[in-house]
C-alpha cells in the first residue's frame, strides 16, 4: 500500500470512529442520529477502498438512506416535536463498556490472526457475481431472509395496531 | 477504465472541477430561463431590467444574496443550521460523478453507477433533516418531516423505474446502458411499453424526491411559509435554491442517459457532436419539466402518498416484470 492509500484509509477510519463515538457520547438525540449517519457513510467509504463498490452503494442506500430515515422518524414520533434539544442520557454504561470491549477483543483477535497487513491485489467484486450467487447457490438462505423480514414487518404492524373500538 | 489525463485521480479531479463549474454556470442561466419561461406562460415578460433581455439578472441575484445579512436564529442548532445548505449542494452534485456526457467523458465510470446515484438521492434526507430540525422553527420542522416522508415513499418507485434500463441493458454501469441504446434503440422507444412507462415513472418519482412542483408540499408557501428554508437568509438560502435547480438538471440528465440514449445521436462518433446531442436532449427534457411545473397545481399531501403507494408502486413492479419477460423472450428468440 502506498502512503497515500494508508492516509486515505486512516482518514476514513477516523471518520468512522468519530461518528461512532459521537453517536454514543452525544447528549442530544438528534445529533446522535446524524453522527450515526456519518459513521455509516464513512463505512461505505472503507468498502470502496476494499473494491467492494456494490456493498458500498447498498450500504449508503439502505443504511444512510433507509435506517437513518427510520431513526429520524422514531425520534420525531416518540419525542415532543419542538422546543430545544432532546436529552439523551446513556444508561447502563458499565455493561455497555463490557460489550464494547468484548467485541473489540473478538475483532482484534481475528485481525491479529489473519494476515491482513500483507500487501495484495484485492479482487474486484462484481455486482453481477453477487446477483448470481444470491439467485443461484444461496437462493434458499436469501429467500428465508426475505420471509424473516416480512414476518418482522407483519409483527410490527400487529404490535402497533390499535384494537378497533 | 478510460482516462483522459494521466492517472484516474487526475482525470477525476480535472473533469470534476470542469463539470461542476460548468453546471453551476448553466444552473444560474437555467434559473434565468425558467423566469422568462414562467413569465411568458403567465403573460408577463420576466426579468428585463438588468442587461439586455435581463441576461445579467443571475449575476445581480447572486451578488444580492452574497451581500445580504447572514442571520442565524438565536435558538437554532448552529452547527446543523450552518452545515445543512452546504451538504444540500454537495449531495445534489454527487450524481454528476457517474454521468457520461460523451463517450469517455465521465468523472468515474463506476460498475454500480445506477446504485451510486440512487444512493446519492437517498442521502438528501440528511441535509433536509438538519435544516428542518436545526432551524428550531415549526414551519421548517414540518416542511422537513414532509420532505422526508415524501423521499422515503418516492424512493421505492424510483428504484423500480431505474431497474428497468438495468434489466434491459444487463448492466448497472451508465456507459454500458448508453452503449446498449446506441443507434437509436432508446429505451423510451423500444421495447414499446416498459421503457416509456419506466421513463415517466422515473421523472415523476425523481421530481417528487427533489420536492419540485407539482410535488413541492414540503415548502408549500401557503401553508408552511417556505418549509425548511424559512429561517435561511442570504447565500445559505441561495445554496438550497441552487441545490434544488442542480437536482432538477441532474434528473433531466439521468433521464436522458437511462431512457433517451444519452449522448447517442445521428452523425459520426466524435466527442463534440456527442456532447452537443447530450446537451440538446437535456435542454429539451428540462424545458418539458418546466412546462409541467408551471402548468399543474400542487398536490395535497395525502394525494401525493396515494399516487405513490397505490399507483406508482404497483405500476413500477409491473414494468420491472414486463421488462424481465421482454429480455427472456428476446433471448429465447435469439437462441431458436
Amino acid at each position: 500500500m502506498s502512503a497515500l492509500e494508508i492516509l486515505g484509509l486512516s482518514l476514513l477510519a477516523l471518520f468512522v470512529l468519530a461518528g461512532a463515538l459521537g453517536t454514543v457520547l452525544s447528549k442530544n438525540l438528534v445529533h446522535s442520529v446524524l453522527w450515526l449517519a456519518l459513521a455509516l457513510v464513512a463505512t461505505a467509504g472503507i468498502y470502496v477502498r476494499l473494491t467492494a463498490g456494490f456493498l458500498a452503494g447498498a450500504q449508503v442506500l439502505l443504511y444512510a438512506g433507509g435506517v437513518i430515515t427510520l431513526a429520524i422518524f422514531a425520534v420525531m414520533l416518540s419525542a415532543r416535536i419542538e422546543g430545544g434539544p432532546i436529552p439523551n442520557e446513556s444508561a447502563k454504561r458499565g455493561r455497555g463498556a463490557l460489550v464494547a470491549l468484548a467485541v473489540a477483543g473478538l475483532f482484534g483477535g481475528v485481525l491479529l490472526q489473519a494476515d491482513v497487513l500483507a500487501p495484495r491485489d484485492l479482487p474486484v467484486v462484481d455486482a453481477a457475481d453477487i446477483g448470481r450467487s444470491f439467485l443461484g447457490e444461496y437462493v434458499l438462505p436469501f429467500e428465508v431472509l426475505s420471509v424473516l423480514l416480512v414476518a418482522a414487518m407483519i409483527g410490527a404492524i400487529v404490535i402497533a395496531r390499535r384494537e378497533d373500538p | 477504465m478510460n482516462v483522459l489525463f494521466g492517472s484516474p485521480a487526475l482525470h477525476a479531479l480535472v473533469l470534476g472541477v470542469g463539470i461542476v463549474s460548468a453546471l453551476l454556470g448553466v444552473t444560474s442561466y437555467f434559473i434565468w430561463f425558467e423566469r422568462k419561461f414562467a413569465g411568458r406562460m403567465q403573460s408577463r415578460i420576466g426579468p428585463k431590467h438588468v442587461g439586455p433581455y435581463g441576461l445579467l439578472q443571475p449575476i445581480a441575484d447572486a451578488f444580492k444574496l452574497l451581500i445580504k445579512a447572514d442571520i442565524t436564529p438565536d435558538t437554532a442548532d448552529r452547527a446543523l443550521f450552518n452545515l445543512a445548505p452546504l451538504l444540500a449542494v454537495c449531495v445534489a452534485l454527487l450524481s454528476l460523478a457517474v454521468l457520461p456526457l460523451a463517450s469517455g467523458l465521465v468523472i468515474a465510470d463506476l460498475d454500480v453507477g445506477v446504485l451510486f446515484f440512487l444512493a446519492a438521492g437517498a442521502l438528501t434526507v440528511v441535509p433536509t433533516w438538519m435544516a428542518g430540525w436545526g432551524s428550531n422553527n415549526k414551519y421548517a420542522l414540518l416542511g422537513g418531516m414532509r420532505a422526508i416522508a415524501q423521499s422515503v415513499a418516492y424512493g421505492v418507485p424510483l428504484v423500480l423505474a431505474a431497474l428497468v434500463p438495468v434489466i434491459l441493458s444487463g448492466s448497472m454501469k451508465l456507459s454500458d446502458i448508453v452503449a446498449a441504446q446506441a443507434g437509436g434503440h432508446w429505451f423510451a422507444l423500444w421495447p414499446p411499453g416498459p421503457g416509456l412507462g419506466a421513463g415517466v415513472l422515473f421523472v415523476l418519482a425523481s421530481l417528487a424526491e427533489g420536492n419540485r412542483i407539482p410535488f413541492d408540499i414540503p415548502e408549500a408557501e401557503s401553508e408552511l411559509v417556505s418549509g425548511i428554508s424559512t429561517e435561511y437568509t442570504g447565500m445559505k438560502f441561495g445554496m438550497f435554491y441552487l441545490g434544488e435547480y442542480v437536482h432538477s438538471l441532474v434528473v433531466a440528465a439521468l433521464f436522458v442517459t437511462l431512457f433517451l440514449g444519452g449522448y447517442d445521436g445521428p452523425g459520426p462518433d466524435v466527442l463534440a457532436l456527442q456532447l452537443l446531442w447530450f446537451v440538446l436532449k437535456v435542454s429539451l427534457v428540462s424545458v418539458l419539466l418546466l412546462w409541467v411545473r408551471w402548468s399543474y397545481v400542487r398536490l395535497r399531501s395525502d394525494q401525493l402518498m396515494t399516487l405513490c403507494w397505490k399507483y406508482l408502486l404497483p405500476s413500477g413492479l409491473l414494468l420491472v416484470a414486463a421488462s424481465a419477460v421482454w429480455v427472456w423472450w428476446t433471448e429465447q428468440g435469439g437462441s431458436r
Side-chain angles (χ1 to χ4, degrees):
Chain A
M1 272 200 296
S2 70
L4 203 66
E5 278 177 31
I6 292 176
L7 186 73
L9 264 180
S10 321
L11 265 179
L12 281 172
L14 209 67
F15 276 121
V16 176
L17 210 61
L21 284 176
T23 310
V24 249
L25 297 180
S26 174
K27 291 272 177 274
N28 182 334
L29 196 53
V30 174
H31 288 184
S32 275
V33 171
L34 291 167
W35 281 117
L36 182 63
L38 176 71
L40 292 172
V41 173
T43 312
I46 289 186
Y47 291 153
V48 171
R49 294 291 328 141
L50 297 174
T51 67
F54 182 78
L55 197 57
Q59 164 90 9
V60 175
L61 189 64
L62 297 180
Y63 283 86
V67 171
I68 290 300
T69 311
L70 284 183
I72 288 171
F73 270 107
V75 170
M76 291 319 301
L77 297 180
S78 59
R80 207 152 55 90
I81 199 160
E82 56 171 317
I86 302 169
N88 182 24
E89 288 299 320
S90 306
K92 303 190 177 85
R93 287 164 198 242
R95 274 181 255 180
L98 210 64
V99 171
L101 271 180
V103 171
L106 182 70
F107 281 150
V110 171
L111 283 178
L112 285 180
Q113 278 178 16
D115 190 17
V116 280
L117 294 176
R120 74 186 71 179
D121 287 325
L122 292 166
V124 176
V125 185
D126 193 4
D129 289 341
I130 296 179
R132 269 186 214 103
S133 57
F134 266 157
L135 296 177
E137 197 181 346
Y138 298 105
V139 66
L140 197 65
F142 184 64
E143 291 301 323
V144 170
L145 270 182
S146 318
V147 172
L148 185 69
L149 283 176
V150 172
M153 220 148 64
I154 295 173
I157 293 170
V158 169
I159 291 171
R161 199 170 72 119
R162 289 203 190 92
E163 288 300 322
D164 291 326
Chain B
M1 198 174 101
N2 277 332
V3 285
L4 296 175
F5 315 94
S7 70
L10 191 66
H11 168 91
L13 188 68
V14 172
L15 273 188
V17 171
I19 292 175
V20 167
S21 322
L23 186 85
L24 293 182
V26 167
T27 304
S28 46
Y29 276 90
F30 182 59
I31 295 173
W32 170 84
F33 179 77
E34 167 155 11
R35 292 179 64 183
K36 277 283 186 195
F37 187 86
R40 289 295 175 187
M41 284 191 71
Q42 300 172 342
S43 300
R44 297 183 283 117
I45 300 175
K48 72 181 175 86
H49 287 295
V50 193
Y53 307 103
L55 270 173
L56 298 178
Q57 187 71 43
I59 298 167
D61 281 346
F63 192 65
K64 183 193 78 179
L65 286 173
L66 281 172
I67 58 174
K68 271 184 141 180
D70 178 34
I71 301 166
T72 306
D74 271 345
T75 51
D77 192 324
R78 288 194 85 86
L80 302 190
F81 184 80
N82 289 325
L83 208 54
L86 189 68
L87 270 184
V89 175
C90 292
V91 166
L93 288 171
L94 263 182
S95 305
L96 281 180
V98 290
L99 261 183
L101 305 182
S103 179
L105 199 63
V106 48
I107 300 173
D109 200 8
L110 300 182
D111 281 336
V112 288
V114 172
L115 193 63
F116 181 89
F117 77 71
L118 290 174
L123 275 183
T124 48
V125 298
V126 175
T128 309
W129 160 249
M130 286 165 79
W133 170 263
S135 300
N136 199 11
N137 170 311
K138 63 181 121 181
Y139 298 116
L141 190 59
L142 283 172
M145 293 312 289
R146 279 187 182 187
I148 292 167
Q150 197 173 321
S151 19
V152 173
Y154 279 85
V156 183
L158 184 67
V159 170
L160 290 174
L163 204 55
V164 168
V166 172
I167 291 175
L168 291 175
S169 66
S171 173
M172 288 207 282
K173 201 175 188 170
L174 286 175
S175 62
D176 285 352
I177 291 178
V178 173
Q181 304 176 69
H185 298 291
W186 301 351
F187 288 147
L189 309 172
W190 192 260
L196 188 62
V200 173
L201 190 63
F202 181 82
V203 168
L204 284 179
S206 19
L207 286 183
E209 212 185 22
N211 310 324
R212 287 276 284 178
I213 288 178
F215 304 108
D216 70 333
I217 52 158
E219 55 166 86
E221 73 273 10
S222 47
E223 307 158 25
L224 292 181
V225 190
S226 62
I228 58 163
S229 54
T230 304
E231 294 285 0
Y232 283 90
T233 53
M235 206 54 207
K236 276 188 265 175
F237 167 75
M239 287 169 90
F240 276 116
Y241 196 60
L242 183 71
E244 190 190 321
Y245 276 87
V246 167
H247 180 268
S248 55
L249 281 176
V250 167
V251 165
L254 282 171
F255 173 74
V256 165
T257 307
L258 290 178
F259 298 100
L260 291 183
Y263 48 77
D264 176 57
D269 284 341
V270 285
L271 198 86
L273 197 64
Q274 287 179 337
L275 198 61
L276 182 73
W277 281 119
F278 187 74
V279 171
L280 205 65
K281 284 185 204 171
V282 173
S283 314
L284 275 176
V285 172
S286 301
V287 172
L288 206 69
L289 293 183
L290 284 187
W291 197 351
V292 172
R293 176 180 179 178
W294 290 97
S295 307
Y296 285 91
V297 290
R298 179 184 302 136
L299 289 171
R300 221 170 46 215
S301 206
D302 60 315
Q303 291 170 331
L304 197 78
M305 290 299 159
T306 308
L307 177 70
C308 176
W309 295 109
K310 288 191 182 162
Y311 299 100
L312 296 188
L313 184 63
S315 51
L317 287 170
L318 266 180
L319 289 168
V320 167
S323 53
V325 168
W326 170 269
V327 169
W328 173 79
W329 186 65
T330 44
E331 275 176 3
Q332 292 288 306
S335 63
R336 229 175 264 153

